[in-house]
Amino acid sequence: MRPSMLRARFIVLDFRFVDGIDSSVSFSAARKLVEAYGAVLVLTGMAPAVRRQLERAGEIKPPGAKSARSSIQIFDDLDHGLEWC
């Protein structure tokens, strides 16, 4: 397969050093782009405040809630996210 034909299967975003976010607009655009390419967005290390902001914006589901989106996976830390990939 030619390198130009290879596609990313996973996009990992580590939020370990993120304290808050201004808006979910950028996140929403990234999520839609990842979904369009059939990849999975792997989110790791989110602070509780960041997670709540994304939940309120409807971008992610609260822990334990059923999600129709299999394009987003959330892990407590980068190691577990990478292991899942």
Side-chain angles (χ1 to χ4, degrees), residues 16-36:
R16 176 180 21 189
F17 298 114
V18 177
D19 294 328
I21 53 176
D22 291 334
S23 165
S24 67
V25 174
S26 299
F27 183 85
S28 180
R31 180 186 49 76
K32 288 176 185 174
L33 183 62
V34 168
E35 287 175 352

Side-chain angles (χ1 to χ4, degrees), residues 8-20:
R9 292 178 49 208
F10 307 102
I11 305 296
V12 179
L13 299 178
D14 184 29
F15 285 80
R16 176 180 21 189
F17 298 114
V18 177
D19 294 328

